[in-house]
Amino acid sequence: MQFLENFTPELTISSPGRINFIGEHTDYNMGYVLPTAIGNTITFKLAKNGYQNSCNVHSVGYEGFSFDLDKIAISDTEWQNYVLGVLNEISKLTDKVKGFDCTIESNLPLGSGLSSSAAMECGLAFGLNELFDLGLSKITIVELSQRAEHTYVGTQCGIMDQFASVMSKEGHVILLDCQSLEFQHIPIDIKPYKILMLNTKVSHNLASSEYNTRKKECEEGVAIMRKKNPHIKSLRDVTSEMLETSKNEMTKTVYNRCSFIIDENQRVLDMVNAFKQNDLKTVGEILYEAHHGISKLYEVSCPESDFLVNLAKTNPSILGARQTGGGFGGCTLNIIHKDAINSFTAIASREYSKKFNIQLDAFEVQPSGGTCIL
Ligand code: GLA
Protein backbone atom coordinates (compact mmCIF):
# COMPACT_ATOMS: atom_id res chain seq x y z
CA MET A 1 0.00 0.00 0.00
CA GLN A 2 1.23 3.40 -0.90
CA PHE A 3 1.08 4.93 2.55
CA LEU A 4 3.35 2.22 3.93
CA GLU A 5 6.27 3.50 1.88
CA ASN A 6 6.82 6.50 4.13
CA PHE A 7 4.95 5.47 7.21
CA THR A 8 6.48 6.50 10.52
CA PRO A 9 4.31 5.24 13.37
CA GLU A 10 3.59 7.61 16.24
CA LEU A 11 2.35 4.84 18.48
CA THR A 12 2.70 1.06 18.82
CA ILE A 13 0.07 -0.94 20.70
CA SER A 14 0.18 -4.56 21.78
CA SER A 15 -3.14 -6.31 22.30
CA PRO A 16 -3.23 -9.86 23.66
CA GLY A 17 -5.34 -12.96 23.09
CA ARG A 18 -6.73 -14.78 26.08
CA ILE A 19 -7.32 -18.19 27.59
CA ASN A 20 -10.21 -18.97 29.88
CA PHE A 21 -9.60 -21.40 32.73
CA ILE A 22 -13.27 -21.97 33.39
CA GLY A 23 -16.68 -20.34 32.85
CA GLU A 24 -17.44 -21.05 29.20
CA HIS A 25 -20.58 -19.49 27.68
CA THR A 26 -21.45 -18.11 31.11
CA ASP A 27 -20.64 -14.50 30.19
CA TYR A 28 -23.76 -13.81 28.08
CA ASN A 29 -25.75 -15.64 30.77
CA MET A 30 -24.59 -13.02 33.31
CA GLY A 31 -22.41 -15.51 35.17
CA TYR A 32 -18.76 -15.82 36.20
CA VAL A 33 -15.63 -16.33 34.08
CA LEU A 34 -11.94 -16.85 34.89
CA PRO A 35 -9.82 -15.71 31.93
CA THR A 36 -6.40 -14.15 31.52
CA ALA A 37 -4.48 -12.58 28.65
CA ILE A 38 -1.57 -14.53 27.15
CA GLY A 39 1.73 -13.53 25.55
CA ASN A 40 0.46 -14.01 21.97
CA THR A 41 -0.56 -10.60 20.72
CA ILE A 42 -1.61 -8.40 17.82
CA THR A 43 0.60 -5.34 17.25
CA PHE A 44 -0.80 -2.07 15.86
CA LYS A 45 1.37 0.72 14.49
CA LEU A 46 -0.56 3.96 14.13
CA ALA A 47 -0.04 7.51 12.91
CA LYS A 48 -2.26 10.47 12.02
CA ASN A 49 -2.04 11.04 8.27
CA GLY A 50 -3.16 14.67 8.15
CA TYR A 51 -6.36 13.96 6.23
CA GLN A 52 -9.77 14.77 7.65
CA ASN A 53 -11.53 11.48 6.85
CA SER A 54 -9.31 9.20 4.87
CA CYS A 55 -7.85 6.11 6.61
CA ASN A 56 -5.57 3.29 5.44
CA VAL A 57 -5.25 -0.03 7.22
CA HIS A 58 -2.83 -2.75 6.28
CA SER A 59 -2.80 -6.14 7.94
CA VAL A 60 0.26 -8.30 7.31
CA GLY A 61 -0.86 -11.38 5.38
CA TYR A 62 -4.08 -9.74 4.17
CA GLU A 63 -4.77 -7.12 1.56
CA GLY A 64 -4.84 -3.58 2.91
CA PHE A 65 -7.88 -1.33 2.57
CA SER A 66 -8.78 2.32 2.69
CA PHE A 67 -11.99 3.92 3.88
CA ASP A 68 -13.63 7.23 4.59
CA LEU A 69 -14.67 8.00 8.18
CA ASP A 70 -17.87 9.57 6.83
CA LYS A 71 -18.88 6.43 4.97
CA ILE A 72 -18.36 3.58 7.42
CA ALA A 73 -20.41 0.51 6.42
CA ILE A 74 -20.24 -3.27 6.85
CA SER A 75 -17.74 -4.84 4.45
CA ASP A 76 -17.98 -8.14 2.55
CA THR A 77 -14.43 -8.89 3.69
CA GLU A 78 -14.84 -10.38 7.15
CA TRP A 79 -11.67 -9.17 8.91
CA GLN A 80 -12.28 -5.56 7.83
CA ASN A 81 -15.44 -5.55 9.93
CA TYR A 82 -13.39 -5.74 13.14
CA VAL A 83 -11.81 -2.43 12.14
CA LEU A 84 -14.94 -0.81 10.72
CA GLY A 85 -17.13 -1.99 13.61
CA VAL A 86 -14.82 -0.32 16.11
CA LEU A 87 -14.81 2.95 14.15
CA ASN A 88 -18.57 2.83 13.85
CA GLU A 89 -18.92 2.46 17.64
CA ILE A 90 -16.34 5.17 18.38
CA SER A 91 -18.16 7.56 16.03
CA LYS A 92 -21.26 7.25 18.26
CA LEU A 93 -19.20 8.52 21.22
CA THR A 94 -16.94 11.20 19.72
CA ASP A 95 -16.04 12.95 16.47
CA LYS A 96 -12.40 13.45 17.43
CA VAL A 97 -11.05 10.63 15.21
CA LYS A 98 -9.51 11.98 11.98
CA GLY A 99 -7.54 10.36 9.15
CA PHE A 100 -4.97 7.76 10.25
CA ASP A 101 -2.73 5.04 8.88
CA CYS A 102 -2.34 1.72 10.63
CA THR A 103 -0.49 -1.56 10.19
CA ILE A 104 -1.56 -4.70 12.01
CA GLU A 105 0.64 -7.73 12.64
CA SER A 106 -0.45 -10.80 14.55
CA ASN A 107 1.25 -13.72 16.26
CA LEU A 108 -2.08 -14.90 17.58
CA PRO A 109 -3.43 -17.82 15.57
CA LEU A 110 -6.80 -16.80 14.09
CA GLY A 111 -9.91 -18.89 14.74
CA SER A 112 -8.18 -20.88 17.46
CA GLY A 113 -10.40 -19.92 20.39
CA LEU A 114 -7.78 -17.49 21.74
CA SER A 115 -9.87 -14.46 20.95
CA SER A 116 -7.99 -12.86 18.12
CA SER A 117 -11.21 -10.89 17.39
CA ALA A 118 -11.25 -9.16 20.77
CA ALA A 119 -7.49 -8.47 20.52
CA MET A 120 -8.13 -6.83 17.18
CA GLU A 121 -11.08 -4.71 18.33
CA CYS A 122 -9.60 -3.68 21.66
CA GLY A 123 -6.12 -2.97 20.27
CA LEU A 124 -7.50 -0.63 17.64
CA ALA A 125 -9.89 1.11 20.04
CA PHE A 126 -7.08 1.49 22.61
CA GLY A 127 -4.71 2.87 19.96
CA LEU A 128 -7.19 5.39 18.55
CA ASN A 129 -8.02 6.48 22.08
CA GLU A 130 -4.35 7.32 22.64
CA LEU A 131 -3.66 8.75 19.17
CA PHE A 132 -6.57 11.18 19.20
CA ASP A 133 -6.79 11.66 22.95
CA LEU A 134 -10.42 10.53 23.01
CA GLY A 135 -10.59 10.22 26.80
CA LEU A 136 -12.34 6.84 26.72
CA SER A 137 -12.01 4.73 29.87
CA LYS A 138 -10.79 1.13 29.69
CA ILE A 139 -14.27 -0.22 30.37
CA THR A 140 -15.69 1.95 27.58
CA ILE A 141 -13.09 0.45 25.24
CA VAL A 142 -14.14 -3.04 26.36
CA GLU A 143 -17.84 -2.35 25.87
CA LEU A 144 -17.59 -0.58 22.53
CA SER A 145 -15.41 -3.43 21.21
CA GLN A 146 -18.04 -5.96 22.29
CA ARG A 147 -20.75 -3.93 20.53
CA ALA A 148 -18.59 -3.80 17.37
CA GLU A 149 -18.60 -7.60 17.35
CA HIS A 150 -22.41 -7.67 17.70
CA THR A 151 -23.16 -5.10 15.03
CA TYR A 152 -20.45 -5.56 12.39
CA VAL A 153 -19.23 -9.14 12.86
CA GLY A 154 -22.58 -10.63 13.82
CA THR A 155 -21.61 -12.76 16.83
CA GLN A 156 -23.74 -11.95 19.87
CA CYS A 157 -20.75 -12.51 22.15
CA GLY A 158 -20.52 -11.86 25.87
CA ILE A 159 -18.00 -9.50 27.41
CA MET A 160 -15.30 -11.93 28.56
CA ASP A 161 -12.86 -11.73 25.66
CA GLN A 162 -12.71 -7.96 25.40
CA PHE A 163 -12.53 -7.63 29.18
CA ALA A 164 -9.65 -10.11 29.42
CA SER A 165 -7.78 -8.52 26.54
CA VAL A 166 -7.83 -5.06 28.14
CA MET A 167 -7.93 -5.68 31.91
CA SER A 168 -5.55 -8.61 32.49
CA LYS A 169 -2.55 -8.44 34.81
CA GLU A 170 0.63 -10.48 34.51
CA GLY A 171 0.71 -13.57 36.76
CA HIS A 172 -3.00 -13.29 37.55
CA VAL A 173 -6.37 -14.55 36.37
CA ILE A 174 -9.47 -12.35 36.40
CA LEU A 175 -12.53 -13.48 38.32
CA LEU A 176 -15.19 -11.44 36.52
CA ASP A 177 -18.84 -11.25 37.47
CA CYS A 178 -20.43 -10.58 34.08
CA GLN A 179 -23.59 -9.27 35.71
CA SER A 180 -22.10 -6.48 37.82
CA LEU A 181 -18.73 -6.28 35.99
CA GLU A 182 -17.04 -6.44 39.40
CA PHE A 183 -13.72 -8.22 39.14
CA GLN A 184 -10.71 -9.41 41.11
CA HIS A 185 -7.20 -10.18 39.91
CA ILE A 186 -6.23 -13.48 41.52
CA PRO A 187 -2.52 -14.39 41.58
CA ILE A 188 -1.77 -17.87 40.31
CA ASP A 189 1.38 -19.91 40.59
CA ILE A 190 1.14 -23.42 39.22
CA LYS A 191 4.81 -24.47 39.40
CA PRO A 192 6.02 -27.14 38.61
CA TYR A 193 3.06 -27.35 36.23
CA LYS A 194 2.61 -25.31 33.06
CA ILE A 195 -0.20 -24.34 30.73
CA LEU A 196 0.19 -26.17 27.43
CA MET A 197 -2.14 -25.27 24.56
CA LEU A 198 -2.79 -27.75 21.77
CA ASN A 199 -4.25 -26.09 18.70
CA THR A 200 -6.52 -28.57 16.88
CA LYS A 201 -6.20 -26.31 13.81
CA VAL A 202 -9.89 -26.81 13.14
CA SER A 203 -12.41 -24.00 13.41
CA HIS A 204 -15.71 -25.39 12.22
CA ASN A 205 -17.52 -22.61 10.47
CA LEU A 206 -20.79 -23.27 12.23
CA ALA A 207 -19.20 -21.63 15.23
CA SER A 208 -20.85 -18.23 14.84
CA SER A 209 -24.37 -19.44 14.01
CA GLU A 210 -24.27 -22.19 16.66
CA TYR A 211 -23.04 -19.62 19.18
CA ASN A 212 -26.07 -17.45 18.58
CA THR A 213 -28.30 -20.55 18.78
CA ARG A 214 -26.88 -21.46 22.21
CA LYS A 215 -27.66 -17.95 23.41
CA LYS A 216 -31.27 -18.27 22.21
CA GLU A 217 -31.66 -21.70 23.83
CA CYS A 218 -30.55 -20.26 27.18
CA GLU A 219 -33.00 -17.38 26.77
CA GLU A 220 -35.75 -19.90 26.04
CA GLY A 221 -34.95 -21.71 29.30
CA VAL A 222 -35.07 -18.42 31.20
CA ALA A 223 -38.47 -17.52 29.68
CA ILE A 224 -39.92 -20.89 30.73
CA MET A 225 -38.60 -20.69 34.29
CA ARG A 226 -39.65 -17.07 34.66
CA LYS A 227 -43.30 -18.19 34.50
CA LYS A 228 -42.88 -19.83 37.93
CA ASN A 229 -40.23 -17.44 39.26
CA PRO A 230 -40.89 -13.93 37.92
CA HIS A 231 -37.67 -12.53 39.45
CA ILE A 232 -35.48 -14.57 37.05
CA LYS A 233 -33.74 -12.31 34.54
CA SER A 234 -30.95 -14.62 33.37
CA LEU A 235 -29.55 -18.07 34.12
CA ARG A 236 -27.49 -16.41 36.84
CA ASP A 237 -30.69 -16.22 38.91
CA VAL A 238 -31.56 -19.90 38.40
CA THR A 239 -30.77 -22.72 40.84
CA SER A 240 -30.71 -26.44 40.02
CA GLU A 241 -33.94 -26.82 42.00
CA MET A 242 -35.72 -24.22 39.85
CA LEU A 243 -34.50 -25.98 36.74
CA GLU A 244 -35.79 -29.35 37.96
CA THR A 245 -39.23 -27.84 38.71
CA SER A 246 -39.56 -26.68 35.10
CA LYS A 247 -37.85 -29.67 33.50
CA ASN A 248 -41.02 -31.11 31.95
CA GLU A 249 -41.90 -27.81 30.29
CA MET A 250 -38.72 -27.60 28.21
CA THR A 251 -36.99 -29.68 25.55
CA LYS A 252 -34.14 -31.94 26.60
CA THR A 253 -31.77 -29.66 24.68
CA VAL A 254 -32.83 -26.51 26.52
CA TYR A 255 -32.67 -28.40 29.83
CA ASN A 256 -29.11 -29.56 29.09
CA ARG A 257 -27.95 -26.07 28.11
CA CYS A 258 -29.32 -24.55 31.31
CA SER A 259 -27.97 -27.36 33.45
CA PHE A 260 -24.48 -26.85 32.00
CA ILE A 261 -24.50 -23.11 32.70
CA ILE A 262 -25.68 -23.51 36.31
CA ASP A 263 -22.89 -26.05 36.98
CA GLU A 264 -20.30 -24.04 35.07
CA ASN A 265 -20.90 -20.96 37.25
CA GLN A 266 -20.34 -23.09 40.33
CA ARG A 267 -17.19 -24.54 38.76
CA VAL A 268 -15.75 -21.02 38.41
CA LEU A 269 -16.20 -20.36 42.13
CA ASP A 270 -14.85 -23.82 43.01
CA MET A 271 -11.78 -23.32 40.83
CA VAL A 272 -11.05 -19.94 42.41
CA ASN A 273 -11.09 -21.62 45.84
CA ALA A 274 -8.86 -24.40 44.56
CA PHE A 275 -6.37 -21.87 43.14
CA LYS A 276 -6.38 -19.94 46.43
CA GLN A 277 -5.51 -23.16 48.29
CA ASN A 278 -2.98 -24.14 45.65
CA ASP A 279 -4.99 -27.33 45.15
CA LEU A 280 -4.03 -27.99 41.54
CA LYS A 281 -5.42 -31.51 41.61
CA THR A 282 -8.92 -30.08 42.09
CA VAL A 283 -8.26 -27.43 39.41
CA GLY A 284 -7.49 -30.28 37.00
CA GLU A 285 -10.56 -32.32 37.95
CA ILE A 286 -12.78 -29.29 37.36
CA LEU A 287 -11.27 -28.89 33.87
CA TYR A 288 -12.12 -32.48 32.91
CA GLU A 289 -15.60 -32.17 34.37
CA ALA A 290 -16.20 -28.93 32.45
CA HIS A 291 -15.07 -30.48 29.18
CA HIS A 292 -17.57 -33.28 29.66
CA GLY A 293 -20.31 -30.65 29.96
CA ILE A 294 -19.00 -28.69 26.98
CA SER A 295 -19.09 -31.84 24.90
CA LYS A 296 -22.25 -33.63 26.07
CA LEU A 297 -24.58 -30.95 27.46
CA TYR A 298 -23.70 -27.68 25.74
CA GLU A 299 -22.53 -29.55 22.63
CA VAL A 300 -19.93 -27.05 21.49
CA SER A 301 -17.00 -29.46 21.25
CA CYS A 302 -15.95 -31.52 18.22
CA PRO A 303 -14.22 -34.89 17.64
CA GLU A 304 -10.80 -33.23 17.39
CA SER A 305 -11.02 -31.46 20.79
CA ASP A 306 -12.57 -34.53 22.45
CA PHE A 307 -9.74 -36.68 21.12
CA LEU A 308 -7.04 -34.42 22.61
CA VAL A 309 -8.79 -34.16 25.98
CA ASN A 310 -9.20 -37.95 26.12
CA LEU A 311 -5.54 -38.38 25.27
CA ALA A 312 -4.61 -36.01 28.12
CA LYS A 313 -6.62 -38.21 30.51
CA THR A 314 -4.31 -41.15 29.80
CA ASN A 315 -1.25 -39.16 30.94
CA PRO A 316 -0.64 -39.04 34.72
CA SER A 317 1.49 -35.90 34.36
CA ILE A 318 -1.55 -33.93 33.19
CA LEU A 319 -3.87 -32.73 35.96
CA GLY A 320 -6.70 -31.64 33.68
CA ALA A 321 -7.60 -30.45 30.20
CA ARG A 322 -10.49 -28.98 28.27
CA GLN A 323 -11.34 -27.11 25.11
CA THR A 324 -11.15 -23.37 25.76
CA GLY A 325 -13.11 -20.56 24.07
CA GLY A 326 -16.29 -20.43 22.02
CA GLY A 327 -15.99 -24.00 20.78
CA PHE A 328 -16.12 -26.29 17.74
CA GLY A 329 -12.33 -26.60 17.69
CA GLY A 330 -9.62 -24.12 18.53
CA CYS A 331 -7.32 -25.06 21.39
CA THR A 332 -7.34 -27.41 24.34
CA LEU A 333 -5.79 -26.13 27.56
CA ASN A 334 -3.70 -28.66 29.52
CA ILE A 335 -2.23 -28.31 33.00
CA ILE A 336 0.87 -30.43 32.64
CA HIS A 337 4.02 -31.13 34.67
CA LYS A 338 6.92 -29.26 33.06
CA ASP A 339 8.99 -32.44 32.66
CA ALA A 340 6.26 -34.12 30.61
CA ILE A 341 5.72 -31.38 28.02
CA ASN A 342 8.10 -32.67 25.35
CA SER A 343 7.06 -36.31 25.54
CA PHE A 344 3.32 -35.52 25.63
CA THR A 345 3.60 -33.06 22.75
CA ALA A 346 5.35 -35.71 20.66
CA ILE A 347 2.71 -38.35 21.45
CA ALA A 348 -0.20 -35.96 20.92
CA SER A 349 1.20 -34.75 17.57
CA ARG A 350 1.75 -38.29 16.35
CA GLU A 351 -1.63 -39.68 17.45
CA TYR A 352 -3.59 -36.61 16.31
CA SER A 353 -2.00 -36.64 12.90
CA LYS A 354 -2.64 -40.40 12.58
CA LYS A 355 -6.32 -39.92 13.42
CA PHE A 356 -7.17 -36.65 11.64
CA ASN A 357 -4.29 -36.13 9.25
CA ILE A 358 -3.69 -32.68 10.73
CA GLN A 359 -0.45 -31.42 12.28
CA LEU A 360 -1.37 -29.78 15.58
CA ASP A 361 0.46 -26.81 17.11
CA ALA A 362 1.62 -26.98 20.72
CA PHE A 363 2.72 -23.93 22.74
CA GLU A 364 3.02 -22.84 26.34
CA VAL A 365 1.24 -19.74 27.61
CA GLN A 366 1.49 -17.66 30.77
CA PRO A 367 -0.97 -15.28 32.40
CA SER A 368 0.05 -11.92 30.91
CA GLY A 369 -0.86 -8.25 31.02
CA GLY A 370 -3.64 -6.56 28.99
CA THR A 371 -3.53 -4.17 26.03
CA CYS A 372 -0.73 -1.63 26.36
CA ILE A 373 1.48 0.91 24.58
CA LEU A 374 4.86 -0.55 23.61
C1 GLA B 1 -16.45 -16.56 22.65
C2 GLA B 1 -17.18 -15.28 23.03
C3 GLA B 1 -17.15 -15.03 24.54
C4 GLA B 1 -17.59 -16.27 25.33
C5 GLA B 1 -16.86 -17.51 24.81
C6 GLA B 1 -17.38 -18.76 25.44
O1 GLA B 1 -15.08 -16.46 22.90
O2 GLA B 1 -16.62 -14.17 22.37
O3 GLA B 1 -17.95 -13.92 24.85
O4 GLA B 1 -18.97 -16.43 25.29
O5 GLA B 1 -16.97 -17.65 23.41
O6 GLA B 1 -17.14 -18.78 26.79
Side-chain angles (χ1 to χ4, degrees):
M1 273 192 116
Q2 213 188 357
F3 80 93
L4 282 172
E5 283 164 18
N6 38 32
F7 175 63
T8 313
E10 285 172 56
L11 186 68
T12 304
I13 302 290
S14 167
S15 189
R18 62 101 190 88
I19 52 167
N20 184 25
F21 272 99
I22 194 75
E24 224 60 273
H25 293 268
T26 44
D27 58 354
Y28 54 83
N29 286 303
M30 301 299 124
Y32 300 108
V33 292
L34 198 65
T36 175
I38 55 175
N40 302 62
T41 59
I42 301 183
T43 305
F44 296 78
K45 294 195 164 110
L46 291 145
K48 295 182 196 118
N49 63 16
Y51 290 95
Q52 188 66 12
N53 291 319
S54 158
C55 304
N56 304 297
V57 174
H58 182 259
S59 177
V60 176
Y62 294 84
E63 229 170 87
F65 74 114
S66 300
F67 57 92
D68 191 310
L69 287 171
D70 275 347
K71 295 184 193 128
I72 301 278
I74 294 178
S75 161
D76 293 335
T77 308
E78 201 186 334
W79 78 267
Q80 297 180 358
N81 286 321
Y82 295 99
V83 172
L84 297 168
V86 165
L87 283 153
N88 178 52
E89 289 303 326
I90 291 181
S91 73
K92 295 178 194 164
L93 304 173
T94 170
D95 58 4
K96 279 179 153 181
V97 175
K98 303 289 175 234
F100 67 90
D101 293 345
C102 172
T103 61
I104 302 172
E105 193 163 0
S106 173
N107 68 13
L108 192 55
L110 301 182
S112 57
L114 299 175
S115 214
S116 49
S117 356
M120 182 86 167
E121 294 146 1
C122 296
L124 182 64
F126 194 98
L128 293 174
N129 190 40
E130 292 295 326
L131 192 66
F132 293 102
D133 201 11
L134 305 180
L136 305 176
S137 67
K138 279 190 173 182
I139 192 69
T140 303
I141 290 172
V142 168
E143 288 174 335
L144 79 84
S145 298
Q146 182 198 18
R147 287 197 300 273
E149 181 122 0
H150 290 182
T151 52
Y152 268 54
V153 182
T155 306
Q156 298 304 310
C157 65
I159 201 161
M160 168 172 74
D161 300 348
Q162 291 79 10
F163 202 97
S165 189
V166 175
M167 305 295 221
S168 287
K169 189 169 159 186
E170 198 179 339
H172 293 68
V173 288
I174 304 180
L175 169 60
L176 170 65
D177 177 338
C178 298
Q179 180 160 266
S180 63
L181 295 188
E182 278 169 19
F183 67 100
Q184 284 174 48
H185 285 121
I186 297 173
I188 64 159
D189 178 3
I190 62 168
K191 280 194 225 75
Y193 288 85
K194 296 220 165 179
I195 308 164
L196 176 70
M197 306 304 290
L198 297 181
N199 187 351
T200 61
K201 300 262 206 66
V202 295
S203 59
H204 295 285
N205 54 9
L206 0 129
S208 182
S209 63
E210 285 294 321
Y211 186 95
N212 293 344
T213 307
R214 293 297 174 282
K215 188 161 185 257
K216 283 212 187 84
E217 288 162 347
C218 292
E219 284 162 3
E220 197 182 320
V222 167
I224 294 168
M225 289 181 279
R226 193 184 289 135
K227 288 187 201 144
K228 289 195 178 122
N229 306 276
H231 75 279
I232 293 175
K233 291 201 189 67
S234 69
L235 286 180
R236 173 67 178 277
D237 306 321
V238 174
T239 60
S240 305
E241 293 70 37
M242 291 174 194
L243 179 61
E244 289 312 312
T245 325
S246 296
K247 184 172 182 179
N248 295 335
E249 287 142 52
M250 55 183 76
T251 62
K252 180 105 177 48
T253 301
V254 169
Y255 173 82
N256 284 346
R257 307 299 191 237
C258 296
S259 164
F260 170 78
I261 296 295
I262 295 168
D263 292 347
E264 186 77 349
N265 273 324
Q266 189 56 45
R267 280 192 282 266
V268 177
L269 302 178
D270 292 346
M271 193 179 284
V272 168
N273 282 334
F275 269 130
K276 284 184 175 165
Q277 288 160 23
N278 213 16
D279 177 1
L280 295 182
K281 190 168 164 280
T282 300
V283 168
E285 283 164 6
I286 296 173
L287 290 175
Y288 282 137
E289 198 190 294
H291 187 80
H292 183 265
I294 284 170
S295 180
K296 305 288 181 248
L297 300 177
Y298 218 68
E299 296 179 281
V300 292
S301 186
C302 59
E304 294 86 350
S305 296
D306 288 348
F307 179 83
L308 289 177
V309 171
N310 286 334
L311 196 65
K313 281 186 185 158
T314 64
N315 191 319
S317 300
I318 298 180
L319 297 180
R322 69 173 192 84
Q323 176 189 263
T324 185
F328 305 102
C331 292
T332 62
L333 177 158
N334 303 263
I335 308 272
I336 180 169
H337 193 284
K338 65 176 179 30
D339 297 341
I341 292 181
N342 289 344
S343 58
F344 178 64
T345 302
I347 293 170
S349 306
R350 190 187 66 218
E351 295 303 314
Y352 188 72
S353 133
K354 229 196 264 170
K355 172 95 179 154
F356 297 104
N357 204 15
I358 304 172
Q359 210 49 57
L360 58 71
D361 272 344
F363 53 98
E364 284 171 42
V365 294
Q366 271 143 23
S368 306
T371 314
C372 62
I373 303 175
L374 285 183

